[in-house]
């Protein structure tokens, strides 16, 4: 663990100082006897007995927490967490009787100190009993209220939890750090018109005085506080059993319960897959009855009570979903699916998010990182397992077509000097919140994919099963994973594993998987992977072919004009490459700054990072890029779609750091006129569209329109091939939606004409006409251009119960050129009545991409900053998304100065130290450098092609 260990407290009223200038003072003015953000380890919780009584009329709750403690060192105090909570009574239940404890509160660290006038003795068991009360949270964290509107317009309320990362302390007093695992027995008091659900099955319901009911839930397995969950609502549910005997239920508001069937089937299928893949039943039971399951690959199960796997769609939810053990929670758009009105991309997204949260039941819940510095052990694995699981269980979704995009997204953040290592020290809640970013999720997944390719999928699978079995119900650090993945076949744990694992190991070839990479060395996973997790950024590998020699060198890829910032970085890079002379994938572990490979013969071209399985970029020096351009022009299908996408990505990114001229990258892009595969096509758009988006924020319409015309011309053939219907594979359908939307936004006449016709027909039918799902975004965007069309779209949005349809309408309305409508949308999203406040970030960022609305979005963000950081929390991914999203397309010194002026005026309490602010400065500075360097080249190159671009007015 990278965080310094805490000193254990032994009878001292105050710990050694950690550098604070003044000792902390409690709210009553007394000295607070602990001055660290992290809790002392003198005591730890074993079991929580928790009773919660939420009032959905006053939006207030009361509760009682009895916490059984294990004392590790003699002490006279217990320090734990509580945030914005009134504590009315605290008792110590000791072996020698019951006595009150003195309570001191230190709100800055969200801590309570419970002081005893006698010693709590090491090895003895104690309980503390705390009575507390609080209001529902005003944000989407902690125990908060949610609401929804019925078809008749009635507003109904519910209460739900979201405790990750540091918000359980706002719902009940607790040891709110992931290493303090304990069991929880939960009781919820409610009105008869509601139901309550929690992590575990309900054991019984007791009638209380006043007509209230108290639901008693079974005791959980040992787990961290951030995984506790409970919901009080009027939800309905549908249920099914998995092959392995787990009951899965999906909960939603009554009027949307008919949209839960797909999620239920997906959850059943995916939980069975994980049960088999990880070779650990869900969850790993310890005792109980033997239940024979003939349909299972496991001969028997040990279980006393079926541990549930419930999924709940929450009307107000900030993140996409949350992996609470036994009760995963989701945005409605992330769970609800209408077979007639949801798109192919909706199906893909919903299946991925369910796969992600169910993977967490093992990675994160069963085995949990010791501290938030290693969050990637949870999130990187869950993101990675989305793709592993769906590739096998839902091959028709072609999930491989979309994984590469996650690596590109991670590289975007990781190419800035403000990036951070995958595993990085964090302490306060804001820093912890900032860990939930593309580095922890997407980079984590991409380096795991690289490691899997490096080790072979078979040995990688054995290693992670070994890791999960060895550390079940425990907490881990990076090194535990690397140890499990080293010498994967040397483990007694595999004796109980599946036969195929034993057979694979008996072949004797898995443990030496590295031999195909670097024949002189044993596999040293820790040494290799430390270079990828303990330092930020990623390598740029430069390749120069001289005859039969391939000269290799590595450096950090960094978007900066300060060369010193790239020094001191070295990775162990699992290189893969293929050549014109052989279809074989060759492998080599690059350990030093430079090295040389020798080919058996001279070749026409060489392509490194085959299928982009590695998390690194490649620069082809000398004639390297020209040879690749010729290859793509002659027969691009020689390379895979992923290889082509990675070349497009790499060449344009290398322009940003001056390694490649812009005209070289544009010459490579010419082959895209013959491209049909989704990953390569969307990456082409991903590199070309931002160029004119930068110009939209400047007064340079002529060049901007030339660039837009070039892109339309490049993809015209593919756009013209698209049917205005739902047909083809998932990838083909997603691509169709993407292409037609682009064409209509860019005013491509055939697209606009068709979309206008369909919108008018749909409007004339009062929205009852059934539009092909995949083309609705294009139709809605064109329709929202007029006041009448926009108002009609909004009216349908307001009354729709189909979440995916509402989402498409919402985005289409943000693309409108009607400035007053854009301002109104942001204001209404903030108020949260006719449009949900949870949708505000998407609305603001989408409007910021609109050439009519970009300044409106920035002005809105500034004017409402304090409200936004209170609602969405400092350091959260949501706040970061708004900050970077709204500012990422600015490229002038004037706007940089304006943005610096605003963020520079903030205090630490209002976010001045957030990483996303530094990312914003770096991104705009990079945009400015790009424009200053490349605009003349772009103008010259487009001028040469003017005669081939008849649509300059687009």
């Amino acid at each position: 663990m990278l965080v310094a260990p805490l000193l254990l407290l032994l009878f001292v009223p105050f710990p050694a100082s950690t550098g604070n200038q003044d000792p902390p003072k409690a709210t009553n003015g007394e000295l607070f006897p602990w001055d660290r953000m992290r809790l002392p380890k003198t005591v730890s919780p074993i079991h929580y007995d928790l009773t919660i009584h939420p009032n959905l009329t006053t939006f207030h709750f009361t509760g009682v927490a009895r916490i059984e403690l294990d004392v590790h060192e003699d002490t006279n105090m217990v320090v734990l967490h509580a945030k914005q909570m009134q504590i009315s009574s605290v008792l110590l239940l000791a072996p020698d009787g019951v006595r009150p404890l003195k309570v001191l509160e230190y709100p800055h660290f969200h801590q309570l100190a419970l002081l005893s006038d006698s010693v709590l003795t090491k090895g003895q068991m104690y309980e503390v009993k705390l009575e507390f009360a609080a209001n529902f949270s005003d944000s989407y964290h902690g125990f908060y209220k949610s609401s929804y509107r019925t078809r008749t317009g009635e507003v109904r309320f519910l209460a739900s939890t979201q405790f990750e990362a540091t918000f359980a302390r706002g719902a009940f007093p607790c040891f709110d750090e992931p290493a303090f695992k304990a069991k929880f027995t939960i009781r919820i008091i409610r009105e008869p018109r509601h139901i309550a659900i929690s992590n575990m099955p309900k054991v019984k319901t007791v009638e209380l005085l006043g007509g209230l009911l108290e639901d008693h839930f079974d005791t959980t397995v040992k787990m961290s506080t951030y995984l506790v969950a409970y919901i009080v609502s009027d939800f309905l549910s549908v249920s099914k059993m998995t092959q392995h005997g787990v009951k899965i239920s999906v909960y939603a508001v009554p009027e949307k319960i008919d949209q839960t069937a797909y999620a239920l089937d997906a959850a059943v299928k995916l939980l069975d897959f994980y049960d088999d893949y990880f070779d650990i039943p869900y969850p790993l039971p310890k005792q109980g009855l033997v239940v024979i399951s003939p349909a299972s690959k496991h001969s028997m199960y040990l279980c006393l009570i079926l541990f549930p796997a419930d999924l709940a769609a929450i009307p107000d939810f900030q993140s996409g979903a949350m992996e609470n053990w036994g009760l995963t929670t989701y945005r409605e758009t992330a769970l609800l699916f209408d077979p007639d009105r949801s798109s192919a991309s909706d199906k893909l997204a919903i299946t991925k998010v369910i796969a992600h949260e169910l993977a967490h039941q093992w990675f994160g819940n069963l085995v949990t990182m010791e501290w938030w510095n290693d969050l990637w052990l949870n999130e990187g694995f869950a993101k990675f397992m989305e793709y592993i699981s769906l590739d096998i269980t839902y091959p028709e979704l072609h999930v491989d077509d979309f994984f590469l995009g996650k690596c590109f997204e991670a590289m975007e953040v990781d190419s800035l000097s403000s990036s951070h290592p995958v595993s990085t020290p964090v302490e306060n809640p804001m820093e912890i919140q900032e860990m939930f970013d593309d580095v922890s999720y997407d980079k984590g997944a991409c380096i795991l994919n690289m490691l899997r390719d490096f080790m072979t999928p078979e040995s990688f699978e054995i290693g992670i099963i070994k890791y999960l079995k060895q550390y079940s119900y425990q907490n881990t650090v990076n090194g535990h994973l690397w140890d499990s993945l080293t010498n994967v076949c040397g483990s007694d744990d595999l004796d109980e594993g599946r036969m195929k694992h034993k057979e694979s190991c008996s072949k004797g070839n898995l443990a030496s998987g590295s031999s195909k990479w670097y024949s002189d060395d044993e596999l040293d996973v820790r040494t290799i992977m430390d270079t990828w997790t303990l330092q930020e950024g990623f390598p740029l590998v430069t390749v120069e072919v001289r005859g039969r020699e391939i000269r290799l060198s590595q450096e950090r890829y960094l978007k900066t004009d300060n060369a010193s910032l790239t020094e001191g970085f070295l990775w162990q890079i699992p290189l893969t490459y293929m050549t014109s002379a052989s279809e074989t994938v060759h492998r080599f572990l690059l350990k030093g700054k430079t090295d040389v490979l020798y080919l058996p013969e001279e070749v026409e071209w060489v392509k490194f990072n085959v299928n982009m399985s590695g998390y690194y970029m490649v620069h082809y020096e000398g004639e390297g890029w020209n040879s690749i351009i010729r290859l793509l022009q002659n027969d691009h299908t020689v390379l895979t779609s992923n290889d082509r996408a990675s070349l497009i990505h790499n060449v344009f990114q290398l322009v940003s750091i001056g390694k490649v001229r812009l005209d070289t990258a544009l010459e490579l892009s010419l082959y895209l006129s013959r491209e049909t595969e989704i990953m390569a096509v969307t990456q082409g758009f991903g590199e070309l569209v931002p160029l004119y988006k930068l110009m939209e924020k400047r007064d340079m319409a002529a060049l901007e329109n030339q660039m837009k015309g070039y892109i339309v011309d490049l993809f015209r053939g593919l756009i013209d091939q698209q049917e205005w219907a739902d047909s083809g594979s998932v990838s083909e359908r997603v691509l169709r939606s993407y292409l037609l939307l682009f064409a209509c936004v860019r005013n491509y006449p055939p697209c606009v004409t068709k979309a206008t016709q369909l919108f008018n027909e749909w409007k004339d039918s009062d929205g009852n006409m059934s539009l092909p799902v995949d083309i609705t975004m294009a139709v809605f965007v064109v329709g929202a251009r007029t006041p009448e069309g926009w108002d009609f779209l909004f009216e349908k949005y307001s009354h729709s119960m189909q979440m995916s349809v509402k989402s498409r309408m919402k985005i289409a309305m943000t693309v409108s050129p009607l400035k007053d409508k854009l301002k109104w949308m942001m204001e209404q999203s903030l108020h949260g009545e006719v449009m949900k406040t949870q949708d505000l970030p998407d609305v603001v960022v989408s409007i910021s991409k609109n050439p009519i609305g970009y300044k409106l979005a920035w002005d809105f963000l500034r004017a409402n900053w304090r409200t936004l950081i209170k609602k969405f929390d400092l350091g959260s991914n949501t706040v970061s998304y708004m900050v970077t999203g709204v500012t990422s397309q600015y490229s002038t010194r004037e706007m940089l100065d304006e943005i610096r002026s605003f963020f520079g005026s903030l205090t630490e309490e209002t976010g001045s130290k957030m990483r996303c602010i530094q990312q914003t400065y770096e991104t705009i500075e990079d945009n400015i450098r790009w424009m200053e360097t490349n605009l003349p080249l772009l103008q010259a190159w487009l001028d040469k092609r003017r005669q081939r671009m008849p649509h300059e007015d687009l």
Side-chain angles (χ1 to χ4, degrees):
M1 190 172 82
L2 297 176
V3 179
L6 293 170
L7 295 174
L8 295 177
L9 187 67
L10 179 62
F11 274 118
V12 290
F14 205 87
S17 174
T18 56
N20 292 344
Q21 287 187 348
D22 299 311
K25 287 189 177 181
T27 50
N28 66 355
E30 294 184 32
L31 287 181
F32 192 80
W34 187 251
D35 72 343
R36 304 182 189 174
M37 191 75 71
R38 300 283 296 277
L39 297 179
K41 296 180 180 177
T42 47
V43 300
S44 61
I46 296 172
H47 177 262
Y48 293 79
D49 197 309
L50 187 61
T51 301
I52 302 288
H53 180 195
N55 187 319
L56 286 172
T57 302
T58 64
F59 305 120
H60 180 81
F61 64 93
T62 58
V64 179
R66 287 181 54 155
I67 310 173
E68 186 180 348
L69 302 174
D70 188 3
V71 179
H72 306 294
E73 297 290 340
D74 288 0
T75 184
N76 62 347
M77 73 172 187
V78 176
V79 180
L80 71 167
H81 290 112
K83 181 182 178 184
Q84 295 179 346
M85 195 172 288
Q86 298 86 47
I87 307 294
S88 56
S89 170
V90 180
L91 298 175
L92 176 70
L93 287 68
D96 58 350
V98 178
R99 56 182 179 270
L101 294 175
K102 181 177 180 178
V103 181
L104 295 179
E105 184 178 1
Y106 185 51
H108 185 60
F109 285 177
H110 309 151
Q111 289 176 354
L112 296 178
L114 314 181
L115 305 180
S116 172
D117 53 10
S118 60
V119 178
L120 279 64
T121 308
K122 177 181 177 181
Q124 292 278 7
M125 305 296 282
Y126 298 84
E127 275 190 30
V128 290
K129 179 182 177 183
L130 303 98
E131 296 181 13
F132 58 92
N135 294 319
F136 286 134
S137 166
D138 288 332
S139 70
Y140 297 104
H141 289 118
F143 194 26
Y144 68 95
K145 74 172 180 180
S146 176
S147 65
Y148 70 94
R149 194 179 295 271
T150 67
R151 288 188 206 278
T152 60
E154 178 193 357
V155 177
R156 296 183 182 176
F157 293 98
L158 59 134
S160 184
T161 59
Q162 169 62 34
F163 290 161
E164 191 177 38
T166 59
F167 300 101
R169 64 191 66 173
F172 59 95
C174 58
F175 296 78
D176 200 15
E177 295 179 8
F180 286 104
K181 288 191 170 186
K183 295 183 177 182
F184 296 82
T185 303
I186 295 172
R187 299 179 183 87
I188 304 292
I189 298 172
R190 61 175 172 88
E191 296 180 61
R193 64 195 174 102
H194 292 132
I195 64 164
I197 51 178
S198 187
N199 302 83
M200 293 297 288
K202 184 170 67 175
V203 175
K204 65 179 179 179
T205 299
V206 177
E207 292 189 17
L208 304 179
L209 294 176
L212 296 175
L213 302 176
E214 184 178 73
D215 291 329
H216 293 222
F217 297 92
D218 197 19
T219 301
T220 70
V221 295
K222 189 179 176 184
M223 65 186 194
S224 303
T225 50
Y226 77 88
L227 295 170
V228 174
Y230 37 86
I231 301 168
V232 178
S233 68
D234 65 346
F235 286 174
L236 299 180
S237 66
V238 293
S239 303
K240 272 189 179 181
M241 296 287 285
T242 70
Q243 288 186 357
H244 298 314
V246 179
K247 181 182 179 182
I248 294 184
S249 301
V250 180
Y251 290 81
V253 303
E255 289 173 311
K256 297 174 186 173
I257 196 66
D258 59 343
Q259 299 176 52
T260 57
Y262 180 77
L264 182 61
D265 289 342
V268 168
K269 195 171 185 178
L270 286 161
L271 202 70
D272 275 329
F273 166 80
Y274 285 136
D275 207 316
D276 286 334
Y277 185 90
F278 295 134
D279 198 31
I280 300 173
Y282 166 78
L284 183 63
K286 292 186 175 179
Q287 59 184 358
L289 305 173
V290 175
V291 179
I292 306 298
S293 180
S296 167
K297 294 181 183 177
H298 303 289
S299 60
M300 61 181 61
Y301 270 75
L302 298 175
C303 55
L304 185 60
I305 284 185
L306 290 175
F307 195 90
D310 294 340
L311 297 80
I314 312 298
D316 297 280
F317 201 80
Q318 181 182 330
S319 34
M322 176 60 204
E323 68 266 21
N324 316 298
W325 210 347
L327 176 54
T328 54
T329 48
Y330 303 77
R331 270 197 183 205
E332 289 184 324
T333 51
L335 196 66
L336 303 181
F337 182 85
D338 184 331
D340 297 322
R341 300 191 182 184
S342 297
S343 67
S345 57
D346 293 329
K347 177 178 282 191
L348 176 66
I350 289 168
T351 318
K352 280 172 57 182
V353 76
I354 294 171
H356 183 102
E357 303 313 325
L358 294 185
H360 269 310
Q361 309 303 300
W362 286 264
F363 277 102
N365 299 9
L366 183 65
V367 179
T368 313
M369 78 266 135
E370 187 169 304
W371 181 242
W372 299 106
N373 61 301
D374 282 330
L375 173 68
W376 86 278
L377 288 174
N378 288 13
E379 298 300 350
F381 254 110
K383 177 62 68 174
F384 171 72
M385 289 307 302
E386 289 177 31
Y387 294 89
I388 297 297
S389 61
L390 264 59
D391 187 48
I392 295 169
T393 57
Y394 286 90
E396 70 275 14
L397 293 181
H398 299 289
V399 73
D400 277 353
D401 287 343
F402 305 94
F403 180 75
L404 200 54
K406 292 297 167 188
C407 303
F408 295 151
E409 288 174 22
M411 285 177 165
E412 188 69 25
V413 175
D414 216 13
S415 65
L416 304 175
S417 62
S418 53
S419 186
H420 63 90
V422 168
S423 178
T424 196
V426 291
E427 182 168 321
N428 65 53
M430 188 192 81
E431 292 171 344
I432 292 167
Q433 283 281 84
E434 288 186 319
M435 290 296 288
F436 291 80
D437 67 356
D438 289 344
V439 173
S440 296
Y441 285 71
D442 297 340
K443 180 179 180 178
C446 293
I447 63 174
L448 286 170
N449 185 59
M450 177 173 66
L451 179 59
R452 179 175 183 257
D453 183 63
F454 173 72
M455 292 183 63
T456 73
E458 296 81 9
S459 57
F460 180 83
E461 183 179 349
I462 293 171
I464 61 173
I465 291 170
K466 178 181 172 184
Y467 168 77
L468 289 171
K469 287 188 173 183
Q470 182 171 354
Y471 297 104
S472 290
Y473 302 102
Q474 298 178 53
N475 297 85
T476 60
V477 296
N478 260 353
H480 294 140
L481 178 62
W482 309 145
D483 291 344
S484 298
L485 288 168
T486 301
N487 189 24
V488 292
C489 293
S491 171
D492 293 337
D493 291 341
L494 288 172
D495 293 344
E496 298 178 4
R498 286 167 287 177
M499 185 60 68
K500 75 170 187 176
H501 289 155
K502 289 191 285 187
E503 288 175 351
S504 296
C505 283
S506 68
K507 295 174 186 175
N509 61 354
L510 292 184
S512 59
S514 64
S515 60
K516 65 179 185 177
W517 295 88
Y518 207 90
S519 58
D520 297 335
D521 290 339
E522 299 263 336
L523 177 63
D524 186 352
V525 173
R526 183 193 293 263
T527 299
I528 295 166
M529 295 308 294
D530 277 354
T531 70
W532 294 94
T533 59
L534 301 183
Q535 60 183 350
E536 70 270 24
F538 59 91
L540 168 63
V541 176
T542 296
V543 175
E544 185 179 13
V545 180
R546 294 189 179 180
R548 289 174 51 198
E549 279 187 2
I550 300 180
R551 300 189 178 189
L552 304 170
S553 64
Q554 64 162 295
E555 62 188 294
R556 182 182 177 187
Y557 176 92
L558 192 64
K559 290 181 178 177
T560 180
D561 52 5
N562 185 350
S564 67
L565 294 177
T566 65
E567 295 172 0
F569 290 85
L570 185 69
W571 287 265
Q572 293 203 11
I573 310 172
L575 297 177
T576 55
Y577 65 98
M578 57 188 295
T579 72
S580 57
S582 170
E583 294 183 0
T584 302
V585 177
H586 304 278
R587 303 173 185 271
F588 179 75
L589 187 63
L590 178 62
K591 292 185 171 184
K593 279 284 186 186
T594 60
D595 215 323
V596 180
L597 293 175
Y598 296 94
L599 300 173
E601 58 188 301
E602 292 192 17
V603 296
E604 293 178 14
W605 54 264
V606 60
K607 166 67 172 71
F608 272 75
N609 203 357
V610 177
N611 280 321
M612 200 165 165
S613 58
Y615 186 73
Y616 58 93
M617 284 192 203
V618 183
H619 171 44
Y620 301 92
E621 210 157 45
E623 281 295 301
W625 280 112
N626 289 334
S627 65
I628 284 169
I629 290 170
R630 287 193 296 271
L631 170 66
L632 292 174
Q633 289 173 342
N634 292 333
D635 184 7
H636 64 277
T637 61
V638 170
L639 300 176
T640 66
S641 172
N642 273 9
D643 276 326
R644 303 194 300 267
S646 71
L647 288 170
I648 296 163
H649 173 266
N650 286 192
V651 76
F652 277 95
Q653 295 302 312
L654 290 169
V655 172
S656 293
I657 62 168
K659 293 281 187 181
V660 173
R661 282 172 55 93
L662 176 61
D663 44 10
T664 300
L666 291 168
E667 287 295 322
L668 184 144
S669 75
L670 288 170
Y671 104 89
L672 286 165
S673 63
R674 298 186 303 282
E675 183 61 83
T676 59
E677 298 291 333
I678 186 169
M679 192 63 241
V681 170
T682 55
Q683 197 55 41
F685 278 108
E687 299 300 337
L688 294 168
V689 168
L691 306 191
Y692 75 71
K693 297 304 288 185
L694 292 177
M695 299 175 212
E696 283 182 343
K697 281 75 179 173
R698 294 177 168 215
D699 184 18
M700 47 194 329
L703 181 57
E704 173 193 328
N705 285 328
Q706 269 188 277
M707 187 64 202
K708 291 175 179 176
Y710 169 62
I711 301 172
V712 172
D713 195 53
L714 195 61
F715 293 105
R716 180 198 311 276
L718 195 56
I719 293 168
D720 289 344
Q721 291 173 24
Q722 302 306 310
E723 299 175 353
W724 290 70
D726 296 332
S727 60
S729 69
V730 168
S731 294
E732 288 168 339
R733 292 181 62 185
V734 172
L735 182 58
R736 174 185 301 119
S737 182
Y738 189 101
L739 288 167
L740 294 179
L741 174 61
F742 169 80
C744 282
V745 170
R746 288 280 61 82
N747 292 320
Y748 182 48
C751 183
V752 174
T753 301
K754 181 68 172 179
T756 302
Q757 172 202 333
L758 288 171
F759 184 83
N760 289 336
E761 291 174 4
W762 179 70
K763 184 171 176 287
D764 290 343
S765 73
D766 195 29
N768 293 317
M769 185 182 99
S770 180
L771 289 170
V773 177
D774 297 335
I775 57 96
T776 51
M777 270 297 285
V779 172
F780 292 161
V781 161
V782 170
R785 289 177 175 175
T786 67
E788 300 76 23
W790 198 98
D791 289 341
F792 180 78
L793 202 58
F794 180 77
E795 194 265 333
K796 292 301 169 189
Y797 166 89
S798 301
H799 294 95
S800 175
M801 289 287 169
Q802 276 72 37
M803 300 314 298
S804 58
V805 175
K806 284 176 76 81
S807 182
R808 290 195 293 276
M809 289 176 172
K810 173 192 69 184
I811 296 301
M813 288 187 288
T814 67
V815 183
S816 173
L818 305 171
K819 189 175 287 190
D820 59 326
K821 301 292 189 185
L822 302 179
K823 289 178 68 174
W824 187 84
M825 272 189 85
M826 291 189 287
E827 291 162 359
Q828 292 303 316
S829 297
L830 184 61
H831 293 151
E833 293 180 9
V834 295
M835 301 187 78
K836 286 280 188 184
T837 303
Q838 68 172 13
D839 294 332
L840 175 63
D842 282 336
V843 168
V844 172
V845 171
S846 185
I847 287 174
S848 78
K849 310 302 181 192
N850 183 334
I852 302 297
Y854 68 91
K855 198 68 169 64
L856 299 177
W858 166 242
D859 291 340
F860 179 88
L861 187 71
R862 273 191 305 184
N864 296 283
W865 180 255
R866 288 179 180 272
T867 303
L868 295 174
I869 60 173
K870 182 180 179 183
K871 186 69 178 177
F872 297 109
D873 291 296
L874 274 187
S876 69
N877 184 258
T878 305
V879 170
S880 176
Y881 168 66
M882 285 190 285
V883 170
T884 57
V886 167
T887 61
S888 64
Q889 293 177 355
Y890 290 126
S891 64
T892 65
R893 295 283 172 196
E894 293 76 15
M895 274 311 299
L896 179 58
D897 290 343
E898 186 175 314
I899 287 165
R900 280 189 185 277
S901 175
F902 172 70
F903 287 129
S905 70
L906 301 179
T907 63
E908 187 171 346
E909 289 71 28
T910 55
S912 64
K913 293 192 174 180
M914 286 193 299
R915 184 185 292 120
C916 62
I917 293 174
Q918 188 58 39
Q919 290 173 343
T920 290
Y921 297 158
E922 287 190 66
T923 298
I924 298 174
E925 286 166 349
D926 176 58
N927 291 344
I928 292 169
R929 281 194 303 273
W930 195 97
M931 296 291 268
E932 289 174 348
T933 303
N934 293 299
L935 277 183
L937 285 169
L938 180 62
Q939 183 73 70
W941 192 85
L942 289 173
D943 285 345
K944 286 183 182 178
R945 296 194 48 79
R946 183 183 294 271
Q947 66 275 18
R948 297 180 59 184
M949 295 176 59
H951 296 280
E952 292 176 29
D953 58 325
L954 299 181

